Amino acid sequence: MRYGHFDDSAREYVITTPHTPYPWINYLGSEQFFSLLSHQAGGYSFYRDAKLRRLTRYRYNNIPTDIGGRYLFVNDGGDVWTPSWLPVKADLDHFEARHGLGYSTITGERGGLRVQTTILVPLGETAEVQKVTFTNTSDAAKTFSAFSYVEFCLWNAEDDQTNYQRNLSIGEVEVEESTPSGGAAIYHRTEYRERRDHYAVYGVNVPTAGFDTDRDTFVGAYNTLAEAAVPRAGKAANSVASGWYPIGSHQIDVTLAPGESRDVVIVLGYVENPDDEKWADEAHQIINKERAHALLERFSTGGQADAAVEALQTYWTELLSSYSVTSGDEKLDRMVNIWNQYQCMVTFNMSRSASYFETGMGRGMGFRDSSQDLLGFVHLVPERARERIIDIASTQFPDGSAYHQYQPLTKRGNHNLGSGFNDDPMWLVGGVAAYIKETGDWGILDEPVPFDNEPGTEVPLFEHLSRSVDFVLTHLGPHGLPLIGRADWNDCLNLNCFSTTPGESFQTTGNKTGGVAESTFIGAQFVLYGKEYVALAEQRGATKEAEKAAAAVEAMQTTMLTDGWDGGWFLRAFDYYGNPIGTDAHDEGKIWIEPQGFAIMAGIGVESTDPSSPEWAASPAGKALTAVEDMLGTDHGMVLQYPAYTTYQVHMGEVSTYPPGYKENGGIFCHNNPWVIIAETVAGDGASAFDHYKRITPAYREEISDVHQLEPYAYAQMIAGKEAVRHGQAKNSWLTGTAAWNFVAVSQYLLGVRPDYDGLVVDPQLGPDVPEFTVRRVARGATYEITVRNSGTPGSRATLTVDGEPLEGRTVPYAPAGTTVRVEAIL
Ligand code: GLC
Ligand code: GLC
């Protein structure tokens, strides 16, 4: 069952009912100011940091889930309703929410009045803009009032939700009943009188009939928003908040002839003033509104808002032009050309901070998460990827370990979490390698970067990568595999923790010391990214470094196939006592997905690339991939491990705290499915790879939206596994490494077009389902038009011609910027 449909030419998903199984959201903003927006107008806005600069309030765990947003109440002759359906929930004659790239349009119609609102964060602005169009669809004149509504957050979202003894006394606003641009504005200025240099402005471009800034007055004591008092009364109370709960609401009165429309523009902006420009009148503590006025002036007409939407569309057309496919499979095309790349931008911006499952208060930017997010983002805006790499590397410690997270506003490492996640160091190597392959910017390796943000400690970025490699090599366990520390990629495999205290953090509790717990995942990761390090070192002429690292990679590869191998697949780890995890000898947790995907992706155990051959079946890679499909495969994707743990395993940490089939305990953790998909292409099994891709990719799951439940245009972190009560149900959509990794899997391995250091590799592997396709790729300024004729025969590899000339191998040398190269691939 579906709740809407894709509109590919508009690059929108069209939700046709408010009654989706869960709020389906969109992200507005791509640089400084961000909003989360559900199809029912729920969500919130913040400037740069979802915890420290929250503009509007949102209550997680609310009843119903999604109350709190930017609402517009209509009072049409006593009939009170909201075009976004929530919060009033009056039946609508028509409802439609279109989520586009960086904007959404929500339309509701009732009683002959249609209200269409387009909401966006315009490029270059620190504001959310709403263009509201009222249309009288009846055949009689209409006079009605509309009441806009937002609830302000007192800036620090965490403090706002906890420190009521203070916060209920500090709320302050200023009201400006008429602005220079002919409308009205409300200023939320809590704490501006003391240490803050910023406020929020909530303005409208037309004269108003009243305002409210005090929530209890607007809503009425003991009411819910559905029963809000002012809209019901049809008359604003002109309340001025002092303490309690500051809000912003404007009353807009409208009269429309039959068929007539009227536009109104509403702006929620963030304004910062330098210290010496804080006040218009310091003696009377009147805030300086110049910047706010300029903002309101820029959005004082509907035409200006339309132009901002157009600019956003052009911006996205340009961003998306560097990779696109025409394949004849519309689901594949819409994921590759639109939605997967869009989600990569969102994960790059948000890391794991703010979604409908992440409160924006808990997690900042992750060292490992952001390094992986780069992989799917670097082709979109390479300069921002470069800046991010420097930020991440600046939180590394001199010994190569790293802060696990940092706060986006301050860019400083987060002390609560600290370090000790032993996979972190090598992700940096992966991120930098991807950046250089995309851009050819070798100069980044010479960029001076400090340790732990300490001025004076700067060394070339390359030295940071060397420390990453050294960290792994100086932290090996008895089998020669890397020590796991607090956890590797799997945050919940905490082998040095042994927690028996409720509420204790599994990730930061390390009460077992002197342990020898080892990770095959980090072993595989070291092989994959160690090879990249060798390539970087060679290019710099650091021959000794390169040789030393190459030998270490070689040794790790051998260890993975001896001590790291269980017979039918790769082991997952050795625990605190040195016993194996992920072995056929156990009843539960026999096989884990992570090392299978990552090791084969790194080429370990790949002895044949013809899946129909006996050599393939007998090779370690062939055996492991067969076991993965047999034991981990389901119609909804591959589960993380099997069988899931049914009881608490104190020596393994958080993983077994989850009921079987959820999250890391046998859930379909979508992030690591693409590792297997890539591994399958590396081992020549494109048909299985494409099949596995389709099982988790949201557009292919649209028809079962009632089972999947979350957005059919964004990947979710997890889909409940085969042992779960609700197998197939997704959770934690949007902020997941799944976005970047699936884009890598589909664009670089299935469709097979990937940048390497010295050319663009064209090596598609996706089985027989797509007999012919073209990819358009812009790399380093040149355009590659790649046409593929694909027999899908197992084991076949592409033969290339470039501008009509046969090419040896599958690496098309980079062409000069501005040129177009035609590539034909036949397999
Ligand atoms: C979450 C974390 C990520 C981790 C994964 C597996 O997605 O953000 O860092 O690797 O879970 O535990
Ligand atoms: C929990 C989650 C895991 C996440 C981690 C972040 O362990 O299960 O997915 O990565 O928290 O700290």
Side-chain angles (χ1 to χ4, degrees):
M1 183 184 166
R2 297 190 283 138
Y3 301 91
H5 55 88
F6 287 92
D7 180 345
D8 294 332
S9 60
R11 297 186 304 219
E12 292 173 341
Y13 192 81
V14 188
I15 302 166
T16 49
T17 166
H19 307 288
T20 55
Y22 203 76
W24 285 2
I25 74 163
N26 195 8
Y27 282 85
L28 314 181
S30 55
E31 290 195 359
Q32 304 246 300
F33 188 102
F34 299 99
S35 295
L36 279 66
L37 171 66
S38 74
H39 70 296
Q40 302 159 332
Y44 58 92
S45 304
F46 58 94
Y47 171 73
R48 282 182 55 191
D49 190 312
K51 175 176 176 184
L52 300 176
R53 291 286 186 281
R54 184 84 62 106
L55 269 83
T56 50
R57 195 172 268 161
Y58 190 77
R59 293 175 192 77
Y60 283 86
N61 253 341
N62 213 344
I63 308 174
T65 307
D66 191 30
I67 286 291
R70 62 293 275 161
Y71 295 128
L72 195 65
F73 296 81
V74 174
N75 184 325
D76 179 9
D79 181 30
V80 177
W81 58 285
T82 33
S84 51
W85 189 65
L86 280 178
V88 173
K89 297 202 278 186
D91 291 339
L92 299 173
D93 302 328
H94 170 74
F95 173 86
E96 185 186 86
R98 289 179 167 259
H99 285 320
L101 307 186
Y103 67 91
S104 296
T105 301
I106 302 175
T107 307
E109 180 168 348
R110 181 176 160 99
L113 176 62
R114 175 177 286 232
V115 183
Q116 175 177 310
T117 307
T118 295
I119 312 176
L120 74 152
V121 172
L123 292 169
E125 299 287 355
T126 58
E128 178 184 292
V129 171
Q130 299 181 38
K131 182 194 167 200
V132 187
T133 306
F134 299 100
T135 305
N136 181 356
T137 57
S138 75
D139 45 20
K142 238 182 206 312
T143 296
F144 58 91
S145 299
F147 300 85
S148 69
Y149 178 84
V150 290
E151 181 177 358
F152 295 111
C153 176
L154 309 186
W155 302 115
N156 179 323
E158 188 176 35
D159 190 72
D160 183 72
Q161 292 290 308
T162 46
N163 194 7
Y164 302 107
Q165 61 78 26
R166 167 180 163 83
N167 292 341
L168 297 184
S169 293
I170 65 172
E172 285 190 310
V173 297
E174 269 182 51
V175 178
E176 193 178 33
E177 287 181 77
S178 94
T179 58
S181 47
I186 290 162
Y187 297 84
H188 175 232
R189 48 166 288 179
T190 298
E191 290 187 340
Y192 190 80
R193 59 167 57 250
E194 28 117 351
R195 291 158 298 174
R196 293 192 183 274
D197 61 358
H198 53 90
Y199 59 76
V201 54
Y202 183 61
V204 55
N205 70 331
V206 293
T208 56
F211 62 87
D212 276 286
T213 65
D214 177 59
R215 191 184 86 200
D216 277 353
T217 307
F218 183 86
V219 180
Y222 304 109
N223 283 347
T224 68
L225 275 177
E227 300 136 2
V230 161
R232 296 221 171 244
K235 184 78 203 105
N238 293 353
S239 58
V240 178
S242 174
W244 298 107
Y245 314 103
I247 60 156
S249 173
H250 295 287
Q251 178 179 346
I252 305 151
D253 289 348
V254 186
T255 298
L256 293 175
E260 194 187 354
S261 289
R262 176 88 39 90
D263 291 342
V264 169
V265 181
I266 300 171
V267 175
L268 171 70
Y270 172 88
V271 175
E272 237 170 53
N273 281 334
D275 251 3
D276 56 348
E277 294 175 25
K278 268 182 96 162
W279 305 104
D281 174 354
E282 185 162 8
H284 297 95
Q285 299 270 291
I286 309 286
I287 64 177
N288 177 350
K289 305 182 180 68
E290 273 175 37
R291 289 179 174 79
H293 286 158
L295 167 68
L296 297 179
E297 183 62 39
R298 287 196 293 279
F299 297 98
S300 52
T301 67
Q304 288 167 318
D306 292 341
V309 175
E310 272 168 41
L312 202 54
Q313 282 165 337
T314 308
Y315 167 79
W316 272 104
T317 300
E318 277 165 22
L319 281 185
L320 295 174
S321 67
S322 60
Y323 196 115
S324 60
V325 65
T326 312
S327 73
D329 175 340
E330 62 173 10
K331 298 185 172 93
L332 180 63
D333 289 3
R334 64 171 64 114
M335 285 311 302
V336 172
N337 299 343
I338 306 171
W339 296 100
N340 196 168
Q341 296 197 59
Y342 183 58
Q343 191 176 356
C344 286
M345 168 69 91
V346 172
T347 57
F348 175 83
N349 283 325
M350 299 287 131
S351 196
R352 305 297 169 266
S353 68
S355 74
Y356 265 33
F357 301 87
E358 301 275 8
T359 63
M361 305 177 212
R363 306 213 256 165
M365 311 299 282
F367 193 98
R368 100 158 56 100
D369 291 332
S370 290
S371 296
Q372 291 171 81
D373 293 343
L374 284 172
L375 307 177
F377 174 80
V378 61
H379 68 291
L380 291 173
V381 195
E383 314 78 64
R384 291 187 69 203
R386 188 183 210 273
E387 183 189 345
R388 180 63 51 78
I389 286 171
I390 306 295
D391 288 349
I392 295 172
S394 303
T395 65
Q396 193 176 27
F397 292 109
D399 73 350
S401 66
Y403 274 111
H404 194 51
Q405 281 171 23
Y406 70 93
Q407 212 50 45
L409 194 67
T410 62
K411 298 190 173 177
R412 293 294 156 126
N414 175 343
H415 283 280
N416 303 340
L417 267 172
S419 64
F421 297 80
N422 286 357
D423 64 318
D424 274 333
M426 287 308 287
W427 289 119
L428 182 63
V429 180
V432 172
Y435 170 78
I436 294 177
K437 287 178 183 175
E438 179 68 38
T439 59
D441 172 15
W442 291 92
I444 193 175
L445 293 175
D446 296 314
E447 199 67 40
V449 181
F451 292 108
D452 190 10
N453 279 295
E454 197 55 53
T457 62
E458 291 81 0
V459 294
L461 178 65
F462 180 73
E463 177 64 23
H464 282 260
L465 308 186
S466 306
R467 306 275 175 112
S468 290
V469 169
D470 285 347
F471 181 85
V472 177
L473 295 178
T474 52
H475 292 78
L476 297 177
H479 299 90
L481 289 163
L483 294 174
I484 198 168
R486 297 189 187 284
D488 59 24
W489 171 85
N490 189 329
D491 262 336
C492 299
L493 187 60
N494 317 112
L495 302 179
N496 298 304
C497 170
F498 289 69
S499 176
T500 52
T501 307
E504 198 167 63
S505 158
F506 287 96
Q507 274 83 40
T508 57
T509 305
N511 52 25
K512 285 279 187 188
T513 49
V516 291
E518 298 168 85
S519 160
T520 57
F521 174 79
I522 305 177
Q525 187 200 25
F526 182 78
V527 174
L528 183 68
Y529 294 138
K531 288 181 187 168
E532 302 291 3
Y533 176 77
V534 171
L536 300 180
E538 277 170 354
Q539 209 277 345
R540 289 174 71 77
T543 321
K544 276 218 177 93
E545 277 281 348
E547 280 168 6
K548 188 181 144 211
V553 165
E554 185 70 39
M556 189 67 74
Q557 200 149 338
T558 308
T559 308
M560 286 292 293
L561 287 166
T562 52
D563 295 70
W565 180 251
D566 189 52
W569 53 77
F570 293 97
L571 292 169
R572 179 61 179 85
F574 288 97
D575 69 16
Y576 180 80
Y577 306 105
N579 296 321
I581 291 178
T583 164
D584 198 30
H586 290 165
D587 293 336
E588 295 180 340
K590 281 174 181 292
I591 172 170
W592 298 54
I593 198 170
E594 306 100 312
Q596 323 308 330
F598 234 83
I600 299 166
M601 202 156 93
I604 306 173
V606 179
E607 292 164 3
S608 152
T609 53
D610 178 0
S612 61
S613 70
E615 296 78 43
W616 193 93
S619 70
K623 283 185 184 165
L625 288 174
T626 304
V628 164
E629 173 53 20
D630 289 352
M631 296 169 76
L632 305 179
T634 81
D635 289 348
H636 299 287
M638 294 169 276
V639 298
L640 191 146
Q641 96 282 55
Y642 185 79
Y645 294 96
T646 51
T647 58
Y648 181 48
Q649 309 287 316
V650 70
H651 66 296
M652 292 182 58
E654 187 169 355
V655 62
S656 64
T657 64
Y658 289 109
Y662 291 109
K663 295 278 281 182
E664 282 89 339
N665 191 18
I668 296 156
F669 215 94
C670 300
H671 187 145
N672 46 44
N673 277 233
W675 298 344
V676 172
I677 293 166
I678 297 169
E680 285 170 327
T681 65
V682 169
D685 189 1
S688 296
F690 193 40
D691 176 31
H692 282 138
Y693 171 78
K694 289 193 266 195
R695 297 193 211 176
I696 55 163
T697 294
Y700 291 92
R701 299 174 61 77
E702 189 195 13
E703 295 295 337
I704 54 161
S705 288
D706 49 331
V707 176
H708 184 78
Q709 303 223 326
L710 298 186
E711 297 92 336
Y713 44 88
Y715 282 100
Q717 181 206 60
M718 188 211 53
I719 298 171
K722 54 184 169 177
E723 293 153 287
V725 175
R726 295 193 169 77
H727 183 35
Q729 186 186 92
K731 281 202 192 91
N732 301 7
S733 51
W734 285 99
L735 302 188
T736 162
T738 311
W741 276 108
N742 271 297
F743 191 68
V744 171
V746 70
S747 64
Q748 301 191 11
Y749 291 89
L750 290 164
L751 300 171
V753 179
R754 59 178 172 272
D756 207 336
Y757 297 109
D758 47 8
L760 195 65
V761 175
V762 177
D763 185 14
Q765 286 285 313
L766 77 169
D769 287 7
V770 185
E772 211 174 308
F773 62 92
T774 57
V775 168
R776 185 175 177 282
R777 178 68 154 98
V778 179
R780 304 191 188 184
T783 303
Y784 300 80
E785 306 272 5
I786 302 160
T787 309
V788 179
R789 270 181 285 139
N790 170 40
S791 65
T793 314
S796 65
R797 289 310 255 267
T799 310
L800 307 186
T801 55
V802 176
D803 289 330
E805 300 292 321
L807 182 85
E808 197 149 328
R810 285 182 289 271
T811 305
V812 181
Y814 286 121
T819 57
T820 299
V821 181
R822 293 207 163 65
V823 182
E824 277 189 56
I826 298 183
L827 69 167

